[in-house]
Amino acid sequence: MSGTATIALAGNPNSGKTTLFNAITGARQRVGNYPGITVERKEGTVNVEDMKVNIIDLPGCYSLSAYSEEELVARKVLVDERPDIVVDIVDATRLERHLYLAVQFFELGIPVLLSLNMMDEARKQGLRIDRIRLSNLLGCPVVETVARSGTGKKELIEKALAHARERGGKWEPLEISYGPDLDPALAEMVEKIEATDFMTERYPARWIALKYLEADEDVMKAGKAIGGPAEALERCVEKTREHCRKTLNTSPDAIIADYRYGLINSILKQDIIVHEKTQQERIDFSSRLDDVLTNRLLGPAIMIGVLYAMFQITFTVGEIPMGWLETFFGWLGDTATAIIPAGLVQSLVVSGIIDGVGGVLGFVPLIAIMFLMISFLEDSGYMARVAYMLDRVLRIFGLHGCSAMPFIVSGGIMGGCAVPGLMATRTLRSPKEKLATLLTAPFMPCGAKLPVFLLLVAAFFSENEAQVMFSITLFAWAMALLVSKLVRSTIIKGDPTPFVMELPPYRMPTLRGVLTHTWERAWQYIKKAGTVILAVSILLWAAMTFPGLSEEEVAGFEAQRQTIAASVQTEEQQETLLTEIDNLQGQAALRHSLAGRIGTMFEPISQLAGFDWRTNIALVGGFAAKEVIVATFGTAYSLGEVDPEASDSLSRRIASDPTWNKFTALALIVFVLLYAPCFVTVVTMAKESSWRWALFSTCFNTTLGFVIAVGVYQFGTLFLI
Amino acid sequence: MPSSLRTLGVNEKARITSIDASGEISRRLRDMGLVPGTEVKVIGRAPLKDPVAVRLRDFTLTLRNNEADCIMIEKMEENK
């Protein structure tokens, strides 16, 4: 163990793992994905004297029973990477429940250090924990920590390394007696396993036997693939199960859990915890807060208030840095125009790259602020209450309380982004509810769709902007819920999955934690802008530039210009006429380009919803990224440099175009809201589910959007104009 | 007379006697600490009366009434 050592941080959700991880590693961390498994684990390094220590932050889990992907990941890391030691972070105020995971680590045999976290809170509640005694009874070092302030982290690392050194990488599985009904069966199975070295290079023999008794799908599947004694083991389990059912009316996994808790109780009963205050005296701040925040009447009202406040803050505060970025990209564009000689290269750099990527990066402040607040709500424990309060409603539509989060992140209160929203579906245990959430979350009015709505609302509904924007959000929610009801009762039928969730105690989030989460998510978005959207911007620029006009046509426009220049008029009049020609030429060139041809090709169909060829180009571009829609409109209406934020002039232009009316605008709003998710979202969806579903979503959403848009346009123009 | 957790009113306490479930949900409930002998107290219900929030082992758990149905309890003395 010279040079490097690996420490894995494990523990229940909400035990302060990530806070401790950040406190230990500082900013030196990277987020990595496990191949084949989507749940994230983080890694960071810290130097202790001469040693480089790798710290792995495992996803939070309640048990190693492989109920959720988190548990599977945690187990896989421990077994396959064999870290030198696992530090089990337990919430000192919830010792009994949190030791359940610790017992399973002991049974696995990996060296463990127990970190009693949140000691400050425990002391406040009048809890005294005899850690020396606990350490003796558990047979592992126990340290006290306060992750939020970083107290105890040095001792934790030192003791962890010392204990790992002492054990020298040897695994010593703890053998717990599971009583007269299971012990003989376990012994028999262990014998079979050891005789054939069945999976023993990965797991301890008794642990494998336990997993068989617990009917652990993951282990049993792996065992079946190997063969050997797998069948004999399964027969043995069957026999034991039958015996337990007949004599005790219970199942082996129930007995195992009971004995584990029994063991924990027997340890804790030995005067480990002293309550200095009586139950009555221990004021539980969280439950008092819950009396108000999840109150039957007040709770929902407060929830709406909180969400509305988030929306307000995001936009009022976000406007300021967005303005800075706008100015910066404007300056960058101007500089590039000045440096690069006019021509294709200048056009590529200015219109293609700077405008394209700049438009997307312009949203970074909005996204960062929104995530800042979501991280705050999440870390404070409020998001779990939202899931709790909304579960009953969401269940009606075949969803889960935990679906609320992905919807909100995707833009349920406007201005989100479906990419992190879809990633947030990982908290959903049930594949069916997860899929329904994945398919419907992209309907939300994400930050990229907003400029389109703002543009059209400013052009046609300027007298009641706020109400229209709010109605769009409500419509998005209604569509998301109705469509998920539709898919859950047709193509992804199935019973609802259990909703068993911990309501973590309310906590004041740490600034560091909130900032770290925000940065991680904002960075993901920036990366998307720098890679996919950059590529797409260039592609779109090319599609809107090539093929150019033929020489005769260019010559035709040139001749017109000459005529004007030669005519006897004031300079001002000439200028106006020349601009008009420029516009005409721009229009002709766009119509002639590949994108223009595609737009024109779709015109006969899209006319049903009132969309002309220019709108079609914008919509095709919008598949790449919704931000592109406004930018494309700008180009299509040949206003030259149009920035998605400065939509005023463009919106006037559109408002005065005779081909547009209120219903065209409404139809377009509906279509943009519902049609195919942007390219990056589709890729994310494919990663979270499969390419088949991603493709389905693309086709289904476009069809649905089109049908409703046609309905709105036709109904409006036939009856209301 | 054993009854299910669903019948327990807010602020009432009970002791779990058995878990009438099998498979995944049973394992999940046990992992979360709902094993026979555990004392539980209903501390609230969501605005639409479902799910229910339960206090046990110094933490708060929420579950739906459907899940509460398979947790059999015996009521304990009123303790407010």
Side-chain angles (χ1 to χ4, degrees), chain A residues 65 96-97 391 395 429, chain B residues 24 31 50 57 59 64:
Chain A
S65 64
E96 188 181 4
R97 221 279 314 288
D391 178 66
R395 203 191 328 162
R429 160 74 184 132
Chain B
E24 200 173 73
D31 282 348
D50 189 15
R57 298 183 198 274
F59 80 105
R64 289 179 183 160

Side-chain angles (χ1 to χ4, degrees), chain A residues 323-400:
Chain A
W324 298 338
L325 278 177
E326 212 173 287
T327 320
F328 171 72
F329 283 108
W331 168 83
L332 201 65
D334 290 345
T335 318
T337 314
I339 296 173
I340 309 166
L344 278 180
V345 179
Q346 187 201 63
S347 166
L348 169 68
V349 172
V350 177
S351 317
I353 297 171
I354 298 179
D355 280 1
V357 176
V360 180
L361 288 182
F363 284 99
V364 169
L366 270 197
I367 292 203
I369 292 169
M370 195 192 53
F371 274 130
L372 195 79
M373 280 184 288
I374 288 176
S375 300
F376 181 88
L377 289 186
E378 228 177 324
D379 291 359
S380 70
Y382 187 69
M383 275 299 176
R385 270 76 183 180
V386 172
Y388 164 66
M389 286 192 278
L390 286 176
D391 178 66
R392 188 71 194 87
V393 182
L394 291 174
R395 203 191 328 162
I396 299 173
F397 299 97
L399 295 165
H400 195 270

Side-chain angles (χ1 to χ4, degrees), chain A residues 589-603:
Chain A
L590 185 63
R591 194 164 192 139
H592 190 75
S593 73
L594 182 66
R597 288 175 196 191
I598 293 173
T600 317
M601 193 177 82
F602 281 119
E603 213 169 29

Side-chain angles (χ1 to χ4, degrees), chain A residues 245-259:
Chain A
R245 204 179 55 78
K246 271 190 195 141
T247 56
L248 305 158
N249 191 27
T250 182
S251 58
D253 55 321
I255 299 177
I256 293 170
D258 291 353
Y259 271 84

Side-chain angles (χ1 to χ4, degrees), chain A residues 2 25 71 100 157 174 312 323 349 438 488 492 520 614:
Chain A
S2 63
T25 58
E71 291 169 8
Y100 187 68
I157 298 279
L174 171 76
Q312 278 294 328
V349 172
L438 271 178
R488 284 286 278 126
I492 18 181
E520 274 169 15
R614 285 173 297 198

Side-chain angles (χ1 to χ4, degrees), chain A residues 185-251:
Chain A
L186 274 171
E188 189 189 329
M189 288 164 81
V190 167
E191 202 178 298
K192 285 196 173 83
I193 291 164
E194 279 175 347
T196 49
D197 274 339
F198 180 67
M199 292 197 280
T200 44
E201 78 288 355
R202 291 189 76 194
Y203 314 108
R206 194 177 165 89
W207 197 81
I208 300 172
L210 273 171
K211 289 295 139 188
Y212 264 86
L213 280 177
E214 284 180 315
D216 186 291
E217 279 167 35
D218 187 52
V219 169
M220 286 175 78
K221 218 175 103 197
K224 208 168 219 147
I226 295 171
E231 238 171 79
L233 290 175
E234 277 175 40
R235 268 200 308 277
C236 192
V237 169
E238 210 35 63
K239 207 175 69 199
T240 317
R241 185 166 296 138
E242 191 62 17
H243 167 80
C244 292
R245 204 179 55 78
K246 271 190 195 141
T247 56
L248 305 158
N249 191 27
T250 182
S251 58

